[in-house]
Amino acid sequence: MFKSFSMELAGRTLTVDVGRVAAQANGAALMHYGDTVVLSTATASDKPREGIDFFPLSVEYEEKLYAVGKIPGGFNKREGKASENAILTSRVIDRPMRPLFPKDYRNDVTLNNLVMSVDPDCSPELTAMIGSAIAVAISDIPFDGPCSTTQVGLVDGEFVFNPNADQKANSDLQLTVASTKEKVIMIEAGANEVSEDKMIEAIFAAHEVNQKVIEFIDTIVAECGKAKHSYESCAVPAELFEAIKEVVPPAEMEEAVFTDVKQDREENIKKITAKLEEAFADNEEWLAVLGEAIYQYQKKTVRKMILKDHKRPDGRDITQIRRLAAEVDIIPRVHGSAMFTRGQTQICTITTLAPLSEAQRIDGLDEAETSKRYMHHYNFPSYSVGETRPSRGPGRREIGHGALAERALIPVLPSVSEFPYAIRTVSETFESNGSTSQASICASTMSLMAAGVPITKPVAGISCGLVTGDSDDDYIVLTDIQGLEDFFGDMDFKVAGTPDGITAIQMDIKIHGLTRAIIEEAIKTTKEARMHILNDVMIPCIAEPRTEVGEFAPKIVQIKIDPAKIGDVVGQRGKTINAIIEQTGVKIDINDEGAVSVCGTDANKMSEAVRIIETIVTDFEEGQIFEGKVISIKEFGAFLEFAPGKEGMVHISKISKDRINHVEDVLSLGDVVKVVCLGKDKMGRISFSIKDVQ
């Protein structure tokens, strides 16, 4: 027997089956939202993992194509590596839940979400987020929940909760908010320049919806929840802290971390570590956790300096941004480039333009999204933080940062009709000391403008941090956090936008939520910083997009043809269009509406391709002048090709004003001649004349 629980959520029924499947997991919930079905499970190891100083939480979101009635493409008919959407969804589940596990818990925990059926109007991502929270809440895994998640859209100025497919397509906001009973714990947003006030209103409207879901989860836990298991604490012994302070007094630690050069600070900590290792050489138990103890000692020192003394490690004021610099065109021959520097954070973004045929194809669960015209990729090599490790491709963090910058810039990109290009920006991290994702947004904006992409407005991004005390009113919001303040602080609140509104938000925290006052102050702080970056750094570097794409970028000419003529241009099995491409060296894209894009670098070749296409789609009418090549000679006349697949005949009597006995006396194969259309002959065929050309 299993138990089933239901509630109405945004006009659709959410049903949770407990005890129906996956009984050997610590916790399992079979989630139904409309016809969307997700199996959410939570499992934990019996013992802590040895030799680690972090909580080993793994979150998986598995997309199965059978959920939308598809068989995976390619030779291997199995789902391959996780899609970008699956990775981003896993991150959104991880971020609000991780802070709710005990800080001294080192048992491996895996949250798995198996998407088994997808209703386009009931988000599987949202279903998995709620399912993960339920699976952990009813399990015996220690967890200070429950929490819940709500998505918010903005359609015609009105908020829509957990929007359906049509509402998503017409929404100016894609906001995801996670909450506990008391506070907001995670925010993720993309927006079409939504105002700060409207964004705050949306966040707390979602928070209210979350409270209803949490009440629903509480009823499930009350009836099905297991007692939480005990665990082996990995907390640092209090006596070790006291011993460390005897060897390294607080003033010495404060001096070690109080510098704006990351390398100097790291060298200072190495010396302190060596000093402590020597002092505790005979105590193996303490040596085993010394690294974590030093980390926590640094953390307490930095937090005390900021919260009580209002001193930041690099000496800045609480609202002061690090030294800024911007430049464009630093890389030759690429289509656009720009570099943005903030303190020891430095990003170079390269823009590449291509025909629309090079847009990314997406084979996923969302059938409304089959391609992506704008792609932003973010790279974080080890040298950027002075480390050495082999490159193994982008990890989840890199993919997440790239998606955040992509989301921030999409609202200001020109439409396909205005700018018929596929666009890729790649942000290379040259140096990192905090908030490279927001620096990549600034660099990408300038790179796009340098490449001649007519974005509507510049976008800048900035991050602020938080240090909290013993009460909700005891806190400080920090503008432009560096790496140390991110590691030891309580929040990384990233906001990107134009002068007129927000285009993206991502909020990560390490505590059990934020009050409304903190969120409002963070959004206000980031707007002030954003305006400073835009007005004082980016716009003086490049004020507006260049009027033309660069010398080495492909040029695109667009024409419109009758959709009924698309088949004539393409030809049987692509024969006609391939002949045009081979003849002119251009690339040609045609969509179902008859929009034709001709892409190349040689203007003459592009003009020739356009002429050929226009000839193919033109119906021959009396009086029109054409240019054709002789492809066949007969006794009665010559056949001319005006374009691939487009042919006509000139009768021998219409070749010359003088009488000729043989066509070969005047024409040879391969000759290119001008002709005039004479209309239809007695047999209904189109005829042409060379001699009557004026």
Side-chain angles (χ1 to χ4, degrees):
M1 294 294 293
F2 64 91
K3 294 183 178 181
S4 187
F5 304 84
S6 296
M7 72 170 290
E8 289 302 303
L9 181 60
R12 284 145 283 171
T13 302
L14 176 70
T15 299
V16 183
D17 294 340
V18 178
R20 187 173 187 179
V21 295
Q24 296 189 51
N26 295 63
L30 186 62
M31 308 292 297
H32 305 260
Y33 192 28
D35 284 340
T36 291
V37 178
V38 178
L39 172 60
S40 298
T41 59
T43 51
S45 61
D46 294 332
K47 296 181 180 179
R49 192 194 303 182
E50 294 184 3
I52 61 170
D53 57 1
F54 61 92
F55 169 45
L57 173 65
S58 175
V59 179
E60 305 296 337
Y61 176 80
E62 297 187 29
E63 297 176 318
K64 300 297 184 180
L65 287 183
Y66 59 67
V68 289
K70 291 183 182 179
I71 294 175
F75 292 101
N76 183 16
K77 298 297 182 180
R78 281 186 83 103
E79 286 82 3
K81 67 178 183 179
S83 69
E84 185 172 295
N85 179 67
I87 290 170
L88 297 175
T89 303
S90 297
R91 283 171 55 85
V92 172
I93 295 171
D94 181 303
R95 290 183 0 236
M97 295 190 68
R98 185 178 291 271
L100 300 179
F101 290 91
K103 294 185 182 300
D104 58 344
Y105 192 54
R106 296 292 180 268
N107 297 44
D108 284 275
V109 173
T110 298
L111 308 182
N112 188 281
N113 296 277
L114 178 64
V115 182
M116 306 185 74
S117 176
V118 174
D119 179 341
D121 289 333
C122 297
S123 164
E125 295 87 356
L126 174 76
T127 308
M129 293 171 200
I130 297 174
S132 289
I134 293 173
V136 178
I138 64 175
S139 76
D140 61 344
I141 302 170
F143 184 66
D144 193 11
C147 60
S148 177
T149 306
T150 294
Q151 295 174 333
V152 186
L154 183 62
V155 180
D156 297 329
E158 299 294 328
F159 294 136
V160 179
F161 300 106
N162 301 338
N164 60 32
D166 289 340
Q167 291 167 335
K168 284 181 181 178
N170 296 292
S171 178
D172 288 320
L173 175 65
Q174 298 85 42
L175 171 67
T176 303
V177 177
S179 308
T180 62
K181 291 179 182 178
E182 295 84 17
K183 299 175 183 177
V184 172
I185 198 166
M186 191 277 298
I187 302 169
E188 181 98 10
N192 292 332
E193 298 182 277
V194 171
S195 71
E196 280 72 12
D197 289 343
K198 197 73 173 178
M199 185 67 76
I200 292 169
E201 185 183 350
I203 290 168
F204 285 94
H207 179 64
E208 291 302 314
V209 175
N210 281 334
Q211 300 313 303
K212 298 175 184 177
V213 180
I214 289 172
E215 289 177 10
F216 172 62
I217 296 174
D218 281 339
T219 63
I220 300 174
V221 173
E223 195 163 338
C224 304
K226 302 175 184 177
K228 299 301 182 184
H229 65 232
S230 60
Y231 62 93
E232 182 182 331
S233 173
C234 294
V236 176
E239 57 269 25
L240 173 56
F241 276 121
E242 296 305 316
I244 287 174
K245 290 179 182 178
E246 292 292 326
V247 180
V248 180
E252 185 177 338
M253 178 59 82
E254 184 172 325
E255 184 179 350
V257 299
F258 199 90
T259 173
D260 62 348
V261 180
K262 188 170 85 168
Q263 292 89 333
D264 291 349
R265 181 167 53 250
E266 290 173 349
E267 185 61 32
N268 293 340
I269 297 302
K270 284 180 183 177
K271 292 177 181 177
I272 285 176
T273 301
K275 185 176 179 180
L276 291 170
E277 286 174 342
E278 182 180 353
F280 305 140
D282 298 331
N283 193 327
E284 293 185 6
E285 183 180 342
W286 282 7
L287 288 176
V289 293
L290 184 59
E292 175 68 10
I294 294 172
Y295 171 85
Q296 292 189 21
Y297 193 11
Q298 290 183 76
K299 182 174 183 177
K300 290 178 180 178
T301 302
V302 170
R303 292 174 67 86
K304 178 259 180 185
M305 288 164 54
I306 293 172
L307 191 61
K308 304 302 181 186
D309 305 332
H310 289 200
K311 291 170 60 179
R312 299 176 72 168
D314 57 6
R316 281 183 292 147
D317 292 336
I318 298 302
T319 59
Q320 184 179 350
I321 300 175
R322 288 170 289 175
R323 179 183 58 84
L324 301 170
E327 53 186 310
V328 295
D329 302 329
I330 70 167
I331 309 295
R333 302 189 72 86
V334 300
H335 302 164
S337 65
M339 188 164 71
F340 183 82
T341 305
R342 189 190 328 102
Q344 287 185 295
T345 291
Q346 188 175 63
I347 296 283
C348 178
T349 296
I350 314 300
T351 297
T352 305
L353 306 177
L356 290 169
S357 58
E358 295 192 31
Q360 182 180 356
R361 295 178 183 176
I362 299 173
D363 185 20
L365 301 186
D366 186 352
E367 297 188 355
E369 186 178 21
T370 58
S371 66
K372 190 160 69 169
R373 171 210 182 195
Y374 174 59
M375 300 149 279
H376 181 99
H377 296 148
Y378 165 98
N379 296 316
F380 190 83
S382 58
Y383 63 75
S384 67
V385 287
E387 297 175 358
T388 174
R389 64 174 181 271
S391 176
R392 300 293 188 217
R396 290 189 170 190
R397 176 182 177 275
E398 287 89 338
I399 291 170
H401 279 7
L404 175 61
E406 186 176 285
R407 194 183 311 124
L409 290 160
I410 283 175
V412 301
L413 292 177
S415 67
V416 170
S417 60
E418 295 173 291
F419 194 72
Y421 286 89
I423 308 165
R424 181 183 185 229
T425 48
V426 179
S427 291
E428 305 288 0
T429 305
F430 286 168
E431 189 176 6
S432 173
N433 187 15
S435 199
T436 49
S437 65
Q438 300 306 285
S440 75
I441 292 169
C442 300
S444 298
T445 291
M446 296 187 296
S447 180
L448 288 166
M449 291 197 289
V453 180
I455 62 174
T456 57
K457 296 169 188 172
V459 180
I462 192 67
S463 178
C464 67
L466 174 74
V467 176
T468 57
D470 297 331
S471 68
D472 287 346
D473 297 328
D474 187 16
Y475 68 87
I476 283 185
V477 173
L478 305 171
T479 302
D480 179 26
I481 54 172
Q482 60 172 311
L484 192 72
E485 294 165 334
D486 186 6
F487 299 149
F488 297 151
D490 297 321
M491 175 181 78
D492 183 4
F493 200 123
K494 309 180 185 81
V495 182
T498 70
D500 297 321
I502 293 170
T503 58
I505 293 179
Q506 187 176 92
M507 184 191 82
D508 299 323
I509 63 173
K510 301 170 188 173
I511 54 177
H512 286 200
L514 302 181
T515 63
R516 182 169 186 136
I518 294 174
I519 292 174
E520 289 179 346
E521 183 174 343
I523 289 179
K524 176 177 177 291
T525 298
T526 54
K527 181 177 183 180
E528 292 171 352
R530 182 170 85 237
M531 297 306 297
H532 166 60
I533 294 169
L534 284 168
N535 294 329
D536 298 344
V537 182
M538 293 172 59
I539 291 175
C541 177
I542 181 166
E544 58 187 22
R546 288 175 176 152
T547 55
E548 296 182 352
V549 298
E551 175 187 357
F552 299 102
K555 314 302 185 289
I556 293 180
V557 174
Q558 269 199 326
I559 61 172
K560 184 79 173 176
I561 66 172
D562 183 349
K565 301 279 189 178
I566 292 174
D568 296 339
V569 177
V570 175
Q572 189 175 15
R573 297 180 181 176
K575 181 178 179 181
T576 302
I577 196 168
N578 287 332
I580 303 171
I581 292 169
E582 184 176 352
Q583 182 178 331
T584 61
V586 302
K587 292 183 178 180
I588 302 172
D589 293 330
I590 308 176
N591 67 19
D592 293 340
E593 287 73 44
V596 181
S597 296
V598 177
C599 177
T601 54
D602 187 319
N604 292 329
K605 296 283 189 181
M606 293 170 66
S607 297
E608 173 66 8
V610 170
R611 184 195 67 77
I612 292 171
I613 293 169
E614 289 177 337
T615 301
I616 291 173
V617 300
T618 299
D619 293 323
F620 291 138
E621 295 180 1
E622 186 176 350
Q624 290 177 318
I625 303 294
F626 295 95
E627 195 173 77
K629 182 171 70 173
V630 178
I631 59 171
S632 178
I633 295 176
K634 305 294 183 183
E635 289 183 6
F636 53 83
F639 286 91
L640 276 62
E641 184 183 63
F642 303 100
K646 195 88 167 180
E647 299 177 4
M649 192 197 77
V650 179
H651 192 268
I652 189 171
S653 64
K654 299 296 183 180
I655 292 176
S656 174
K657 294 181 179 179
D658 300 323
R659 179 179 174 80
I660 60 174
N661 296 319
H662 301 95
V663 176
E664 293 91 333
D665 293 341
V666 178
L667 297 177
S668 301
L669 290 175
D671 285 352
V672 177
V673 295
K674 282 189 176 181
V675 298
V676 61
C677 180
L678 300 178
K680 293 182 179 180
D681 59 19
K682 294 178 181 179
M683 299 178 64
R685 299 174 303 186
I686 301 293
S687 62
F688 297 88
S689 171
I690 296 174
K691 73 176 185 180
D692 295 318
V693 175
Q694 298 298 321

